[in-house]
Amino acid sequence: MYAQLVETGAAETSEKDREFQEKIDRGVRIEANDWMPEGYRKTLIRQISQHAHSEIVGQLPEGNWITRAPSLQRKAILLAKVQDEAGHGLYLYCAAETLGISRDEMTEQLLSGKAKYSSIFNYPTLTWADMGAVGWLVDGAAIMNQVPLQRCSYGPYSRAMIRVCKEESFHQRQGFDVMRQLCEGTEEQKAMAQDALNRWWWPSLMMFGPSDKDSVHSEQSMRWGIKQNTNDELRQKFVDQTVPQAEWLGLTVPDPELKWNEETGCYDFGEPDWSEFFEVIKGNGPCNKDRLAARNKAWDDGAWYRDGLTAHADKQNQQIAAE
Amino acid sequence: MSKEWPLWEIFIRGQHGLSHRHVGSLHAPDSEMALKNARDVYTRRNEGVSIWVVESAKIAAFDPDTAEHNFAAPKSKVYRHPTFFEIPEDVGAM
Ligand SMILES: [Fe+2]
Ligand SMILES: [Fe+2]
Ligand SMILES: [Fe+2]
């Protein structure tokens, strides 16, 4: 999802580890100062920081359209949405910091390309309709993943997710609203919406990560209460929720294998191209280089401003000390 | 007259999983005594599983007189609320 392929530490067998597992099983939240296994701590740092990086990098594809939104109102809405994502990144970085990693370390990991972020943000936003598709599908998929994370065993992460989830509904709805307006417009506008769905459908399904049978990290994460559902479970839920919405819009989901299964009460659907997914994760997606370059440029261009603020704060403190 | 003890703000986590919430304040000579007093003053009926104490002087806040101006901007940004967008009922939960 926003954190795909998180490497998971192993559980140990000491008395302390056993007590810790019992606490998790009883549903007691773990807090920053509580004892925790090193594997649990490291897994959470990786997952939360990846999630944070995704929120931050996730601003770029939509930021691309702020200056070109078709009306002042759409521009204000998109700006507010992207601003929320910056906030989500902030909540999450702070949650990760409670586990003993510094903000600078995480920033460094993102800027150097060492850290991962969600594969979805390495695709380009080519038309205005992509703002609709991203809000509707990408934020829709994010919600699917983040709602169960509100019950994550780690308190600071779960509370950050509660804040995030409150804000996400606006994101998905504004995206759907963009799609709806296009679909109710001219033939060309509707074709734009269809084209955006065609390009974003499969990358959105990949957001949930590899199929369960290939997902090596899930089991321990689930035992530790870091993960509540498997990748395939969430993907299925997303398809079941989204296909009727596409139909409502009068759009066609680009999957010839998609069909309603009377017996299971769910949709059957095709397999995403996992080789594409792994290429994007490895850094070879259409926009990986641009995204990293944009983050590095923002960081470097902001250096004089950060330094200025620090110098001002130092001066204030010296004045207070002198008084 | 000896030196007056500083004021501490007390935050309590009522239950596992919740955030700490401000419950009140008290005077104490240091953080250790502030914690002990807070426990005795604010958790006598099992109100908490964790306490934070912060010296009141260390807390920064806006001047209340500027509140109207400080918190005015979001009033015009009604689209930040999901209900701003009308989603037809038959589209399903969103
Ligand atoms: Fe977000
Ligand atoms: Fe997001
Ligand atoms: Fe979002």
Side-chain angles (χ1 to χ4, degrees):
Chain A
M1 175 31 70
Y2 271 21
Q4 301 152 323
L5 297 175
V6 178
E7 208 179 298
T8 305
E12 309 275 328
T13 50
S14 75
E15 181 67 11
K16 269 188 156 168
D17 285 271
R18 220 176 39 74
E19 279 167 19
F20 177 81
Q21 187 60 50
E22 270 167 21
K23 220 168 141 183
I24 302 258
D25 296 341
R26 272 186 286 130
V28 176
R29 293 285 193 284
I30 309 302
E31 297 296 341
N33 294 330
D34 295 347
W35 184 88
M36 61 185 85
E38 262 324 285
Y40 178 83
R41 181 189 301 277
K42 289 208 174 109
T43 304
L44 273 170
I45 288 179
R46 274 191 291 259
Q47 170 154 344
I48 302 173
S49 62
Q50 268 191 42
H51 194 158
H53 297 326
S54 298
E55 302 285 353
I56 296 302
V57 177
Q59 295 176 93
L60 296 170
E62 288 173 302
N64 183 34
W65 280 90
I66 290 173
T67 56
R68 292 178 286 160
S71 71
L72 185 56
Q73 188 176 56
R74 288 290 182 198
K75 179 176 178 159
I77 292 168
L78 185 59
L79 195 56
K81 199 259 185 199
V82 173
Q83 188 184 25
D84 277 354
E85 303 300 0
H88 295 178
L90 180 79
Y91 309 154
L92 286 158
Y93 281 131
C94 288
E97 284 176 77
T98 65
L99 291 158
I101 187 169
S102 75
R103 181 75 61 95
D104 282 356
E105 248 177 296
M106 288 186 277
T107 304
E108 162 58 33
Q109 288 173 355
L110 174 63
L111 296 180
S112 68
K114 193 178 154 230
K116 289 202 223 59
Y117 56 85
S118 178
S119 55
I120 193 74
F121 301 120
N122 291 311
Y123 291 86
T125 44
L126 304 178
T127 74
W128 171 251
D130 289 24
M131 296 304 97
V134 167
W136 172 40
L137 300 173
V138 175
D139 287 85
I143 292 169
M144 216 35 110
N145 177 258
Q146 289 172 158
V147 164
L149 280 175
Q150 294 177 108
R151 287 179 285 112
C152 170
S153 62
Y154 188 55
Y157 192 28
S158 102
R159 289 190 292 275
M161 281 299 104
I162 291 169
R163 281 196 83 90
V164 165
C165 284
K166 267 196 201 137
E167 300 177 359
E168 287 289 0
S169 175
F170 148 52
H171 299 177
Q172 194 187 14
R173 280 167 168 244
Q174 64 83 35
F176 187 82
D177 196 63
V178 167
M179 289 305 254
R180 182 185 175 183
Q181 198 178 22
L182 289 169
C183 290
E184 287 168 354
T186 64
E187 277 308 306
E188 280 117 311
Q189 286 171 328
K190 190 165 180 187
M192 259 172 77
Q194 180 64 56
D195 167 64
L197 173 59
N198 293 348
R199 283 180 291 107
W200 288 94
W201 177 255
W202 292 109
S204 297
L205 293 195
M206 291 177 202
M207 284 176 72
F208 297 95
S211 162
D212 292 349
K213 57 183 194 303
D214 304 316
S215 185
V216 279
H217 309 298
S218 282
E219 219 175 292
Q220 183 57 48
S221 270
M222 301 219 2
R223 212 171 302 129
W224 273 333
I226 295 173
K227 219 173 154 168
Q228 320 282 339
N229 305 85
T230 71
N231 298 350
D232 286 339
E233 273 167 29
L234 291 171
R235 189 168 13 246
Q236 181 72 54
K237 268 182 95 169
F238 175 73
V239 171
D240 291 342
Q241 181 188 289
T242 312
V243 170
Q245 292 167 353
E247 280 167 6
W248 191 94
L249 290 168
L251 297 175
T252 310
V253 173
D255 179 359
E257 288 175 55
L258 182 77
K259 70 168 192 295
W260 177 250
N261 184 326
E262 201 64 61
E263 232 163 87
T264 59
C266 297
Y267 285 92
D268 293 335
F269 56 97
E271 192 79 11
D273 177 359
W274 292 115
S275 61
E276 174 182 318
F277 170 77
F278 285 109
E279 277 306 306
V280 176
I281 287 281
K282 262 195 283 174
N284 304 323
C287 300
N288 296 58
K289 292 205 176 63
D290 287 357
R291 301 299 185 229
L292 220 52
R295 285 315 307 153
N296 272 286
K297 183 175 185 310
W299 181 255
D300 295 341
D301 289 355
W304 68 271
Y305 182 66
R306 293 192 303 274
D307 291 347
L309 290 178
T310 308
H312 178 73
D314 288 348
K315 216 162 89 186
Q316 299 287 103
N317 288 334
Q318 273 164 21
Q319 265 166 18
I320 292 167
E323 272 163 22
Chain B
M1 183 73 178
S2 61
K3 192 177 141 230
E4 194 183 17
W5 292 342
L7 191 65
W8 299 79
E9 300 300 325
I10 313 302
F11 299 83
I12 289 186
R13 188 197 307 287
Q15 254 179 61
H16 287 289
L18 303 181
S19 10
H20 289 76
R21 299 195 95 183
H22 185 245
V23 292
S25 38
L26 51 76
H27 285 277
D30 56 29
S31 60
E32 198 189 326
M33 281 307 293
L35 276 169
K36 286 184 174 156
N37 290 348
R39 178 194 57 199
D40 296 345
V41 176
Y42 290 109
T43 65
R44 290 194 309 282
R45 287 175 185 76
N46 251 315
E47 287 95 335
V49 295
S50 166
I51 302 175
W52 284 350
V53 297
V54 182
E55 240 190 286
S56 309
K58 294 266 163 75
I59 292 180
F62 283 122
D63 178 348
D65 288 343
T66 65
E68 210 180 314
H69 154 84
N70 260 326
F71 304 111
K75 293 210 177 86
S76 63
K77 302 185 189 336
V78 283
Y79 42 78
R80 282 180 177 150
H81 299 279
T83 44
F84 178 81
F85 303 91
E86 191 223 315
I87 302 293
E89 226 169 274
D90 50 341
V91 170
M94 196 177 287

